[in-house]
Every structure is written in structure tokens, then in C-alpha cells.
Amino acid sequence: SLAGLFTAPAIWLVMIFLAAVPDGLTELGQFALGNQVRSALLFGTGVIANVSLPAIASALIRGERGQADKIFMRSLVMVLLLATVLALFSWLLLLYLIPAYFPEYSGSIRPMAWLLLSAVVASVTAMYMRKATAEMRPGTLVLANAAFAMGLIGPAWYLLSLGQGATGLAISFLISSTLQLGFFLALNRYYLPDARRGDIRVENV
């Protein structure tokens, strides 16, 4: 819950940034369409990620680190493949549908491409979130989500100041998602064994 306090306010803030630029409400509408597609994609991949959490935790409680790693890697591959296929399918479908049937939303095509790419990155991050949760490393969640917030606000402010509009904000989402994943990867090894819980790791942050 504490980790989530970083992401939601940061997203609200950059939306306010976008609304404040010239033609901001129009730009916000163009961004919102792609963001809805991104959210739907993440919801689909999140189902697999959520299913993996109790399986990983159960293996760790039994002291079966190898089994936990195997479940994690299989789930990670499934999530990444699903996210990539869905993102590509959504992009090709909307690339045809929007100009043909909703030309007023043609401005959403470019930001949507960046948002879908960020969703693929975020799908991998979702698996590392579950891994950190199963390994009882809440500090990792807090630090990585704080990195997401900072990686979103800074680039968004800069790119919007350059007049990039919805596309600039979408690029900021890709930057922040990549930075967040980088933090999860970097912090993934910073834990210590806890003999009371078999092979579950408790972080040393």
C-alpha cells in the first residue's frame, strides 16, 4: 500500500501537467485512449502474475528455492510473450480502426505506440513485484515504485515543456517503467537468508 502511494499521485500529477499545456484537454483525450489500451493489456498479464505469487511463496516456505525460481521464470516468459503478442495485435488493429472509423482520435496513434511498449516493460516488472512480495522484500517495492514516480515526473515535465504533448507523456511512461524495472533487477540480489522461514529471503536495505 505504501509503495502504491508513489505511483498513483505521480500519474495524477503528470495528467495535470498535460492538461495545462496548450490544447491540453485535447491532448489529454488523445493520451487517455492509449492509456486505456495499456491498462487493459496490463490487466490481462496481471492475471498470470497474480496466479504465480502463491505458487512462488509456497515453494519458498517449503525451502524449495529451485522450484520457486522455475515457477518465476516460466511465469515471466508467459507474461512477456502474452504482453508482446497483445501489444502488437492491439497496435495493428487500432492502426487500422482509428483512421478508418475514429479519425478524430488519429492523434492518439503515436502516443499509443509508446504506451504499448511501456506496457510490455511493465508486464515484466509485474512479475518482479510478485517475486519481491513472495520473498518478503517490501523495501524493494517501495524503492522501485519511488523510482517510477521520479522517472515519470521529471521526463514528463521536460518533454511537455518542449511541446511534445501526449506523445511526450507516453514516452515518459516508457522511461519510468524502464527505470522501475531496472531498480527491481538491481535490488533483486540484496537480501539475506532467514533460517526461520526456510529459504525465504528477507532484504537488507
Side-chain angles (χ1 to χ4, degrees), residues 39-72:
S39 298
L41 192 154
L42 288 177
F43 176 80
T45 57
V47 172
I48 297 175
N50 286 336
V51 170
S52 71
L53 175 56
I56 295 172
S58 296
L60 290 174
I61 289 172
R62 296 192 303 269
E64 299 173 357
R65 163 61 62 175
Q67 180 66 16
D69 290 341
K70 186 181 296 184
I71 294 170
F72 170 74

Side-chain angles (χ1 to χ4, degrees), residues 31 76 96 99 105 126 140 153-154 167:
F31 175 83
L76 180 63
Y96 166 75
Y105 282 100
T140 297
I153 294 172
T167 301

Side-chain angles (χ1 to χ4, degrees), residues 8 16 25 36 42 60 63 72 87 97 115 135 137 152 164-165:
I16 294 173
L25 294 181
Q36 288 296 321
L42 288 177
L60 290 174
F72 170 74
L97 290 179
L115 286 167
E135 293 175 339
R137 296 188 286 121
L152 180 62
Q164 294 299 310

Side-chain angles (χ1 to χ4, degrees), residues 113-136:
W114 291 101
L115 286 167
L116 288 173
L117 187 56
S118 75
V120 174
V121 176
S123 68
V124 177
T125 303
M127 280 305 308
Y128 277 95
M129 284 182 176
R130 273 62 175 188
K131 185 174 187 290
T133 302
E135 293 175 339
M136 301 176 64

Side-chain angles (χ1 to χ4, degrees), residues 2-200:
L2 177 62
L5 290 177
F6 287 104
T7 56
I11 293 172
W12 295 338
L13 183 60
V14 296
M15 293 289 190
I16 294 173
F17 288 170
L18 181 58
V21 304
D23 295 326
L25 294 181
T26 299
E27 292 287 340
L28 192 59
Q30 304 288 2
F31 175 83
L33 179 61
N35 197 38
Q36 288 296 321
V37 177
R38 177 182 184 272
S39 298
L41 192 154
L42 288 177
F43 176 80
T45 57
V47 172
I48 297 175
N50 286 336
V51 170
S52 71
L53 175 56
I56 295 172
S58 296
L60 290 174
I61 289 172
R62 296 192 303 269
E64 299 173 357
R65 163 61 62 175
Q67 180 66 16
D69 290 341
K70 186 181 296 184
I71 294 170
F72 170 74
M73 288 306 302
R74 287 179 177 176
S75 301
L76 180 63
V77 171
M78 288 178 62
V79 164
L80 182 57
L81 287 176
L82 179 62
T84 302
V85 170
L86 288 177
L88 184 58
F89 175 78
S90 300
W91 168 246
L92 293 176
L93 180 64
L94 293 171
L95 192 61
Y96 166 75
L97 290 179
I98 290 176
Y101 298 100
F102 308 100
E104 63 274 16
Y105 282 100
S106 294
S108 67
I109 293 176
R110 284 187 63 200
M112 190 180 301
W114 291 101
L115 286 167
L116 288 173
L117 187 56
S118 75
V120 174
V121 176
S123 68
V124 177
T125 303
M127 280 305 308
Y128 277 95
M129 284 182 176
R130 273 62 175 188
K131 185 174 187 290
T133 302
E135 293 175 339
M136 301 176 64
R137 296 188 286 121
T140 297
L141 295 170
V142 173
L143 291 174
N145 280 17
F148 174 88
M150 294 299 99
L152 180 62
I153 294 172
W157 178 84
Y158 176 71
L159 291 172
L160 291 176
S161 70
L162 296 178
Q164 294 299 310
T167 301
L169 185 54
I171 294 172
S172 300
F173 267 79
L174 176 60
I175 293 172
S176 60
S177 297
T178 304
L179 182 62
Q180 183 185 31
L181 177 58
F183 262 71
F184 271 111
L185 293 172
L187 295 171
N188 192 46
R189 296 182 179 275
Y190 285 88
Y191 48 66
L192 293 174
D194 184 351
R196 294 170 300 171
R197 297 184 178 87
D199 198 37
I200 287 183

